[in-house]
Amino acid sequence: MIGTESTADAGEPAYVESPVRLIALSDGIYAIAMTLLVLDVSVPGGLDAAGFRHEMGRVWPQLAAYALSFAVLGAFWRDQRQILQRVRRVDTFTIRLTLAGLGAAALLPFPTALLSEYGSEEPLAVSAYAAAIALLSLLHLALFTSVWRREHLQARPIPDRMGWTVVTEQGSVALVCAASVVVAFAVAPQAALYTWLLTFPLRHAIRWRGRTPRHRDRGRRQA
């Protein structure tokens, strides 16, 4: 159990008084998932020169898939930690959404292995990876929205501008993943990989756009 549940009035949900242990659980699961990614990267021993060069040729796609998934998990870990740090107390629904997101994160090494082995040939392998990322993004969206729309859970108020920025960011990631599935089947699996690269500049652009008006307002007040 995470924390100690407090007794609520009739009709009111029960709360776990602090999200600290939930944050610690999230940190641990993300750390394990990120570590498991590298277990598929290996070169057999006892190879001759030709065999070694052949195996090294197989390792590069594995390293690329590892680097991509490590960056993805790192970004989602940061996002989930930022969400939970804005929570003063969590209820059962928040815990379930968090656990669902952690389950999706822990699953990512499997589609990563599919991607490294079959991503250049099989659209289904690319689609499985995209589906895992989209699921994780939608679960983070649901978690953030549940906290944003229930002020009694918040440690400090979440401004609407910040709320809509996060919703737009997570929603755009899911849409890019959906588009990559279409690209994988209609064009080529490798083309879908380049589609995913759009998520990184897109997320930064959305966050910058969400901060820009606030910075302008601050400059006007100082003037």
Side-chain angles (χ1 to χ4, degrees):
M1 298 228 14
I2 302 171
T4 304
E5 293 192 356
S6 61
T7 304
D9 297 333
E12 294 292 329
Y15 296 107
V16 177
E17 292 301 333
S18 172
V20 172
R21 297 181 71 178
L22 191 59
I23 293 174
L25 176 64
S26 300
D27 290 346
I29 290 180
Y30 269 96
I32 292 171
M34 295 166 80
T35 303
L36 290 177
L37 293 172
V38 78
L39 296 184
D40 290 322
V41 182
S42 62
V43 175
L47 300 173
D48 57 17
F52 177 76
R53 287 192 294 270
H54 173 73
E55 290 298 326
M56 285 301 297
R58 293 181 62 253
V59 163
W60 293 118
Q62 295 175 350
L63 287 173
Y66 160 76
L68 175 64
S69 293
F70 192 92
V72 167
L73 282 176
F76 278 113
W77 166 77
R78 179 197 60 198
D79 292 345
Q80 179 157 297
R81 189 173 180 85
Q82 289 176 347
I83 293 172
L84 293 177
Q85 285 177 338
R86 288 190 166 272
V87 175
R88 178 168 58 92
R89 55 184 183 180
V90 294
D91 59 4
T92 302
F93 184 64
T94 305
I95 293 173
R96 288 174 178 172
L97 282 177
T98 303
L99 291 177
L102 294 176
L107 181 65
L108 194 62
F110 171 64
T112 300
L114 293 180
L115 183 68
S116 65
E117 291 293 334
Y118 305 103
S120 62
E121 303 171 357
E122 293 292 337
L124 189 57
V126 175
S127 300
Y129 189 89
I133 300 300
L135 176 61
L136 190 51
S137 182
L138 291 175
L139 287 170
H140 275 215
L141 175 60
L143 175 62
F144 176 79
T145 304
S146 71
V147 174
W148 178 31
R149 293 306 186 187
R150 294 187 293 167
E151 296 182 0
H152 60 278
L153 298 180
Q154 300 170 17
R156 56 187 183 276
I158 299 176
D160 286 344
R161 185 179 299 279
M162 176 185 293
W164 286 115
T165 297
V166 174
V167 168
T168 304
E169 178 185 345
Q170 297 295 339
S172 65
V173 171
L175 288 176
V176 169
C177 289
S180 71
V181 173
V182 177
V183 171
F185 282 98
V187 182
Q190 289 181 327
L193 301 179
Y194 295 103
T195 305
W196 292 339
L197 296 179
L198 295 174
T199 59
F200 294 100
L202 182 60
R203 290 177 60 147
H204 285 293
I206 291 172
R207 290 187 177 187
W208 177 84
R209 181 66 183 86
R211 290 193 297 262
T212 299
R214 185 173 57 187
H215 289 169
R216 288 175 179 171
D217 294 340
R218 186 183 302 168
R220 289 172 184 170
R221 288 195 300 268
Q222 291 176 349

